[in-house]
């Protein structure tokens, strides 16, 4: 009888201990904000709150993070969603853009891991229309967005062309200073580097290297690129000897950048 009582007491104590441990543990999450409810500066951060103010506010988290489910969350683990969370595929909704975006400069999708991802330029949970002043791709913010890669040491060491620090040159140029003053019409990175899409419109999703004949900075295309803004000057150029040489395909023909420079263009009144 004594042995039976001891066994019963042990079982009772064990059950109470398990209940106490279970009570101390956080309950399993049922929605994303059960975990993602902290300030943006902390982990895991308040992504849903930012998302609610973005261009994607009508979407659910799992519309993009399709591999994440509540029944697989381990809140005690260092990686609550597992070691490998599926990468977001923006192309499932933006199929037209994903077909256009196959290259960036000399980098190609599937061949160079450094090629910018959608969120490299547009942000992640805070994506806004380019017309919004707070958007990463608003004209006043675009140079800083491009700078995040073009000054990244880990990327620069793999690509010689990036070592020229084009963003710093741009910021001190006539175009960059005009942008800093809030002049939306001033040329930004995408104004000069956006090539034509299949429908003929310019798109920043098709930025090509200078050696590509379809690139806006291909030698013989530069006068037309600058001429989008400087129309009167471009007309004079095409009528002059330099323009005639370009039309004939002379590779040593002076184009706009030969005289004015590229990213660091300064006004004629500047003694530099």
């Amino acid at each position: 009888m004594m042995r039976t009582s001891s066994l019963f007491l042990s079982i009772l104590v064990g059950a109470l201990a398990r209940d106490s441990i279970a009570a101390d543990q956080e309950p399993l999450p049922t929605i994303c904000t059960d975990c993602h409810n902290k300030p943006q500066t902390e982990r895991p951060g308040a992504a849903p709150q930012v998302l609610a103010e973005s261009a994607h506010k009508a979407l659910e988290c799992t519309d993009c993070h399709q591999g994440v489910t509540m029944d697989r969350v381990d809140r005690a683990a260092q990686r609550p969603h597992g070691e490998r969370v599926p990468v977001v595929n923006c192309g499932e909704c933006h199929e037209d853009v994903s077909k256009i975006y196959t290259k960036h400069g000399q980098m190609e999708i599937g061949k160079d891991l450094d090629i910018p991802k959608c969120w490299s330029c547009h942000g992640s949970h805070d994506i806004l229309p380019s017309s919004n002043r707070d958007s990463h791709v608003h004209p006043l913010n675009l140079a800083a967005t491009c700078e995040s890669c073009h000054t990244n040491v880990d990327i620069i060491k793999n690509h010689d062309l990036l070592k020229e620090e084009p963003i710093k040159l741009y910021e001190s140029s006539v175009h960059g200073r005009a942008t800093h003053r809030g002049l939306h019409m001033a040329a930004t990175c995408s104004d000069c580097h956006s090539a034509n899409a299949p429908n003929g419109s310019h798109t920043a999703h098709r930025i090509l290297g200078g050696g590509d004949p379809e690139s806006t900075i291909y030698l013989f295309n530069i006068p037309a690129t600058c001429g989008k803004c400087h129309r009167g000057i471009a007309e004079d150029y095409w009528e002059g000897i330099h323009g005639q040489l370009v039309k004939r395909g002379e590779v040593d023909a002076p184009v706009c950048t030969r005289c004015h420079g590229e990213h660091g263009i300064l006004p004629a009144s500047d003694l530099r």
Side-chain angles (χ1 to χ4, degrees):
M1 182 69 179
M2 194 73 170
R3 189 176 299 170
T4 302
S5 298
S6 298
L7 178 61
F8 175 77
L9 184 61
S10 298
I11 293 172
L12 180 61
V13 170
L16 290 173
R18 284 195 302 273
D19 290 344
S20 176
I21 293 172
D24 291 337
Q25 291 178 339
E26 293 186 68
L28 290 175
T30 56
I31 57 175
C32 301
T33 49
D34 285 346
C35 296
H36 296 273
N37 56 8
K38 298 178 181 178
Q40 276 300 103
T41 53
E42 299 181 24
R43 293 288 182 179
Q49 295 178 20
V50 178
L51 181 66
E53 300 175 1
S54 76
H56 292 151
K57 59 187 176 184
L59 299 180
E60 297 292 336
C61 304
T62 50
D63 288 333
C64 298
H65 300 283
Q66 296 179 1
V68 175
T69 58
M70 293 302 166
D71 58 345
R72 296 178 187 173
V73 177
D74 182 359
R75 297 183 79 165
Q78 186 175 4
R79 295 180 178 273
H81 294 295
E83 288 298 318
R84 299 193 65 178
V85 177
V87 177
V88 172
N89 180 13
C90 303
E92 289 201 2
C93 291
H94 303 280
E95 186 177 358
D96 55 338
V97 174
S98 67
K99 289 180 179 178
I100 295 171
Y101 184 63
T102 58
K103 294 181 179 180
H104 185 87
Q106 297 183 357
M107 295 182 281
E108 295 185 42
I109 294 286
K111 293 184 179 180
D112 197 317
L113 296 178
D114 289 333
I115 192 168
K117 314 298 186 293
C118 305
W119 46 90
S120 303
C121 303
H122 294 280
S124 53
H125 300 102
D126 59 343
I127 295 174
L128 295 168
S130 60
S131 58
N132 189 303
R133 178 62 180 81
D134 294 325
S135 170
H136 294 281
V137 292
H138 184 276
L140 301 185
N141 303 327
L142 191 57
T145 297
C146 297
E147 186 177 31
S148 63
C149 285
H150 285 266
T151 57
N152 185 317
V153 176
D154 292 330
I155 296 177
I156 289 174
K157 67 183 181 182
N158 297 329
H159 304 278
D160 290 336
L161 290 178
L162 295 177
K163 294 178 182 178
E164 298 177 2
E165 299 185 330
I167 308 300
K168 286 185 178 180
L169 289 171
Y170 169 80
E171 288 176 343
S172 62
S173 75
V174 64
H175 296 141
R177 285 184 290 184
T179 300
H180 285 313
R181 291 198 302 269
L183 185 60
H184 293 196
M185 299 301 294
T188 60
C189 311
S190 59
D191 291 313
C192 301
H193 291 279
S194 298
N196 285 344
N199 64 4
S201 64
H202 280 55
T203 172
H205 296 108
R206 196 162 183 261
I207 292 176
L208 306 174
D212 191 317
E214 294 187 30
S215 170
T216 52
I217 58 171
Y218 183 65
L219 177 66
F220 297 135
N221 296 337
I222 288 175
T225 297
C226 298
K228 290 186 299 180
C229 293
H230 304 283
R231 294 179 183 176
I233 295 173
E235 290 176 2
D236 291 342
Y237 173 85
W238 288 120
E239 293 176 1
I241 183 60
H242 296 155
Q244 296 301 315
L245 291 173
V246 168
K247 288 180 180 179
R248 293 206 299 263
E250 298 286 347
V251 295
D252 58 349
V255 294
C256 315
T257 52
R258 178 77 64 84
C259 302
H260 295 279
E262 299 170 350
H263 300 96
I265 295 174
L266 297 171
S269 58
D270 193 312
L271 295 179
R272 290 175 293 172

